[in-house]
């Protein structure tokens, strides 16, 4: 992949992750404050965000990671991805009926999004300071 595509994928991934994070944190407050706005925070929007965040994050992280293979970053990114997916598939199914699962679901989604964004940032940052002769950037 070209470096311009990786740059666009990286920026898009951080953008979508940020929107996802804001959505996850703001939705309960907005729904409680203005019940008529709850229509705009539907399951469809959550699925669109998940289906945008996951592929864009993978496209931003993997091509650069293959050059360096920093295991710590891969573990953080994988943990973040797992948290996002687990919170969407496991917690999301029960949050409409159980208030006690809303907080852990939102927390795991937020932590996962932050871990993924942090891993992509550190991965790209490592590329700019890498001076290993065999690595082409």
């Amino acid at each position: 992949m070209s470096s311009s595509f990786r740059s666009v994928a990286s920026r898009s991934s951080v953008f979508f992750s940020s929107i996802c994070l804001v959505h996850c944190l703001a939705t309960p407050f907005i729904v409680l404050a203005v019940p008529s706005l709850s229509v705009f925070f539907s399951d469809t929007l959550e699925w669109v965000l998940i289906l945008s965040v996951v592929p864009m994050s993978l496209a931003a992280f993997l091509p650069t990671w293959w050059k360096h293979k920093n295991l710590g970053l891969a573990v953080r990114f994988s943990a973040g991805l797992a948290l996002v997916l687990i919170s969407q598939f496991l917690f999301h199914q029960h949050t409409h009926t159980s208030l006690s699962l809303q907080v852990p679901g939102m927390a795991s989604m937020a932590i996962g999004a932050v871990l993924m964004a942090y891993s992509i940032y550190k991965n790209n940052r490592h590329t700019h300071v890498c001076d290993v002769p065999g690595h082409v950037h």
Side-chain angles (χ1 to χ4, degrees), residues 8-69:
V8 169
S10 179
R11 289 182 184 139
S12 298
S13 172
V14 171
F15 174 74
F16 285 123
S17 294
S18 300
I19 288 176
C20 186
L21 179 63
V22 169
H23 168 74
C24 291
L25 295 175
T27 298
F29 298 108
I30 293 172
V31 169
L32 289 173
V34 185
S36 62
L37 287 179
S38 65
V39 172
F40 295 107
F41 295 94
S42 66
D43 292 337
T44 304
L45 179 60
E46 289 184 15
W47 281 107
V48 167
L49 288 171
I50 292 295
L51 293 174
S52 300
V53 168
V54 171
M56 291 306 287
S57 295
L58 287 169
F61 183 78
L62 289 177
T64 307
W65 183 83
W66 280 111
K67 294 177 183 174
H68 306 287
K69 295 185 175 78

Side-chain angles (χ1 to χ4, degrees), residues 2-129:
S2 70
S3 64
S4 63
F5 175 76
R6 284 193 305 266
S7 177
V8 169
S10 179
R11 289 182 184 139
S12 298
S13 172
V14 171
F15 174 74
F16 285 123
S17 294
S18 300
I19 288 176
C20 186
L21 179 63
V22 169
H23 168 74
C24 291
L25 295 175
T27 298
F29 298 108
I30 293 172
V31 169
L32 289 173
V34 185
S36 62
L37 287 179
S38 65
V39 172
F40 295 107
F41 295 94
S42 66
D43 292 337
T44 304
L45 179 60
E46 289 184 15
W47 281 107
V48 167
L49 288 171
I50 292 295
L51 293 174
S52 300
V53 168
V54 171
M56 291 306 287
S57 295
L58 287 169
F61 183 78
L62 289 177
T64 307
W65 183 83
W66 280 111
K67 294 177 183 174
H68 306 287
K69 295 185 175 78
N70 184 328
L71 186 60
L73 289 176
V75 168
R76 285 186 200 102
F77 180 81
S78 299
L81 183 62
L83 283 172
V84 166
L85 294 174
I86 286 169
S87 62
Q88 182 64 21
F89 289 110
L90 179 65
F91 289 112
H92 184 71
Q93 302 301 323
H94 304 288
T95 55
H96 298 295
T97 59
S98 174
L99 184 61
S100 64
L101 290 177
Q102 285 181 353
V103 173
M106 288 186 322
S108 66
M109 181 68 79
I111 292 168
V114 168
L115 273 173
M116 285 182 6
Y118 175 77
S119 300
I120 291 167
Y121 170 76
K122 291 299 278 185
N123 194 38
N124 289 336
R125 181 105 170 124
H126 178 75
T127 298
H128 294 292
V129 297

